[in-house]
């Protein structure tokens, strides 16, 4: 969901008013300390949001100049998370695999979300559309009680066309509007305020900020969701927004790697093509430079064909795309796919269970589909692949460790 995946299941609002899809990754709490998502900052849980992180350095840190072709950044430093091995050892193969999926739920049907988590023990849920029942009256508390491992709760809350809690907590300006009217410090403060509102409602992950670089008209597929066409300036705002969310204890997820801003087409309608990799490095990939400065974040990979990198395969299913992020940009946090179940860039070529398997094989840590359903079929396919060796056990454990660490579910 290139994040017009704001066309979630059972949503009646057209995607041009607000919208994606799905991931996952959680700044969730340690199960032993409190039932993370639904209780934090809402008067019914721990005094401090579990999974929250200390304020990171000032957004001014991103202002140093770079060459037009940036060198790979130093490896992002991640605090070691003890205890994952013992947590993983206590899981069955199916339970391990379930942690690697993020499934869309109908935010207007809390009991269906509870049943999904209780029956399937998925790692994350995604709330799309404009229904708000799951975001009110501590409804997410019951979802967390159904989870043996804290479940991450994700929404798209970028501002502008893409926001989910505006009916509850007021509207937030688009990224383009914020960049033209506010300083990075003010954007950080605004994101922190929004993050506290999300956290109080039980949300632990925000599929934002949009790190795409573009000068498209406002209503184009990226358009005003971007902080601008100047990559150095945009990076300052992306960093500030991400830091604000982290200040509030919500995990930010940068999207859509390796960059949708200069791609041709709309991945909701088919595979889109970006400029060559050398061009992406100079412009579209600048926000991912020195990625350790962001602190603990996630990254969403888009359904993008980079001609000299992915060779016609969507980047969500392409091992070279994940290697680019891991090696050249030194990212060691959790990586989630864009929506695998509602975008024709994927669905025109692969059934859902095949797409999920291919994404995990390629290097994704979590696979997202906003449409919901089919969880049993997907998990059975993954179990069979794990048993046969088509999905290596080491790949599963690597992804699972990142997912659990992001949710503070180890140690």
């Amino acid at each position: 969901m290139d994040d017009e995946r704001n066309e979630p299941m059972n949503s009646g609002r057209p995607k041009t008013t607000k919208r994606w899809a799905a991931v996952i990754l959680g700044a969730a709490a340690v199960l032993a300390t409190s039932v993370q998502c639904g209780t934090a900052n809402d008067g019914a849980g721990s005094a401090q949001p579990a999974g929250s992180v200390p304020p990171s350095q000032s957004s001014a840190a991103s202002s140093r100049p770079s060459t037009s072709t940036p060198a790979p950044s130093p490896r992002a430093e991640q605090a070691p998370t003890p205890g994952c091995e013992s947590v993983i050892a206590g899981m069955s193969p199916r339970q391990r695999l379930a942690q690697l999926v993020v499934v869309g739920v109908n935010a207007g049907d809390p009991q269906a979300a509870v049943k999904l988590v209780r029956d399937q023990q998925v790692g994350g849920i995604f709330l799309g559309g404009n229904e708000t029942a799951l975001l009110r009256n501590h409804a997410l508390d019951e979802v967390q009680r159904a989870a043996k491992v804290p479940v991450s709760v994700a929404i798209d809350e970028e501002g502008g066309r893409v926001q989910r809690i505006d009916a509850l907590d007021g509207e937030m300006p688009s990224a383009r509007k914020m960049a033209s009217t506010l300083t990075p410090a003010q954007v950080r403060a605004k994101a922190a305020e929004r993050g506290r509102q999300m956290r109080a409602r039980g949300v632990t992950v925000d599929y934002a900020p949009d790190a795409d670089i573009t000068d498209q008209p406002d209503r184009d597929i990226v358009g005003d969701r971007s902080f601008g066409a100047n990559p150095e300036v945009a990076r300052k705002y992306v960093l500030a927004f991400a830091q604000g969310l982290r200040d509030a204890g919500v995990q930010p997820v940068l999207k859509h790697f390796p960059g949708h801003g200069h791609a041709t087409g709309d991945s909701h309608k088919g595979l889109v093509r970006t400029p060559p990799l050398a061009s992406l490095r100079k412009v579209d990939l600048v926000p991912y430079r020195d990625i350790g400065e962001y602190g603990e974040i996630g990254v969403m990979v888009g359904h993008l064909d980079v001609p000299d990198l992915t060779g016609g395969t969507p980047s969500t299913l392409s091992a070279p795309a994940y290697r680019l992020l891991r090696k050249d940009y030194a990212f060691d946090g959790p990586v989630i796919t864009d929506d695998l179940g509602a975008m024709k860039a994927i669905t025109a070529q692969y059934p859902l269970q095949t797409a999920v398997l291919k994404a995990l094989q390629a290097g994704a840590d979590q696979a997202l589909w906003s449409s919901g359903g089919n969880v049993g079929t997907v998990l059975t396919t993954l179990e069979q692949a794990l048993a046969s060796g088509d999905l290596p056990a080491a790949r599963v454990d690597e992804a699972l460790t990142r997912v659990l660490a992001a949710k503070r579910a180890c140690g």
Side-chain angles (χ1 to χ4, degrees), residues 383-407:
E383 271 191 299
Q384 293 169 346
L386 180 61
S388 70
D390 286 345
L391 180 58
R395 170 83 270 273
V396 171
D397 287 353
E398 172 191 52
L400 181 54
T401 298
R402 291 194 185 106
V403 169
L404 294 176
K407 295 196 289 187

Side-chain angles (χ1 to χ4, degrees), residues 28-218:
V30 182
L31 188 59
T33 55
S34 71
V35 179
Q36 65 72 254
C37 298
T39 59
N41 284 357
D42 205 14
S46 59
Q48 176 177 342
S52 64
V53 289
S56 49
Q57 62 249 47
S58 164
S59 58
S62 66
S63 62
R64 60 176 175 275
S66 70
T67 61
S68 59
T69 306
S73 59
R75 188 168 186 78
E77 293 297 327
Q78 300 265 333
T81 306
C84 281
E85 297 85 351
S86 61
V87 174
I88 293 171
M91 293 180 172
S92 69
R94 193 176 183 93
Q95 288 171 333
R96 296 181 188 189
L97 294 163
Q99 286 295 308
L100 308 186
V101 301
V102 178
V103 183
V105 298
N106 178 1
D109 190 349
Q111 288 309 306
V114 171
K115 185 177 189 307
L116 168 69
V117 172
R118 178 179 295 121
D119 292 351
Q120 302 292 353
Q121 293 298 313
V122 295
I125 58 174
F126 169 73
L127 283 59
N130 305 303
E131 298 289 343
T132 60
L134 262 173
L135 295 167
R136 292 183 280 113
N137 303 319
H138 304 276
L140 283 164
D141 288 8
E142 189 175 355
V143 175
Q144 291 297 339
R145 284 191 288 268
K148 296 177 181 177
V149 175
V151 60
S152 64
V153 179
I155 63 175
D156 283 321
E157 191 70 20
E158 301 174 15
R161 287 181 284 160
V162 185
Q163 49 188 312
R164 299 298 178 210
I165 62 171
D166 49 309
L168 300 173
D169 294 310
E171 294 196 354
M172 187 168 66
S174 69
R176 180 170 286 173
K177 180 71 171 178
M178 285 189 277
S180 67
T181 60
L182 302 175
T183 66
Q186 289 171 325
V187 166
R188 179 172 180 169
K190 184 171 285 292
E193 178 185 15
R194 198 60 154 193
R196 288 189 290 271
Q197 292 167 340
M198 286 187 274
R199 190 72 205 201
R201 297 187 179 281
V203 174
T204 65
V205 179
D206 187 7
Y207 294 149
D210 191 313
D212 297 321
I213 307 298
T214 195
D215 59 358
Q216 294 174 350
D218 282 357

Side-chain angles (χ1 to χ4, degrees), residues 204-276:
T204 65
V205 179
D206 187 7
Y207 294 149
D210 191 313
D212 297 321
I213 307 298
T214 195
D215 59 358
Q216 294 174 350
D218 282 357
R219 305 302 293 183
D220 276 12
I221 184 61
V222 176
D224 62 356
R225 299 166 59 197
S226 166
F227 283 102
N230 182 315
E232 298 293 342
V233 173
R235 185 187 185 280
K236 294 178 185 178
Y237 283 96
V238 172
L239 177 61
F241 195 100
Q243 289 175 328
L245 293 177
R246 290 184 61 246
D247 292 344
V250 171
Q251 180 170 11
V253 177
L254 273 60
K255 62 189 183 187
H256 310 81
F257 185 89
H260 202 307
H262 293 94
T264 58
D266 178 353
S267 51
H268 296 87
K269 301 175 181 178
L271 186 62
V272 300
R273 177 166 290 193
T274 73

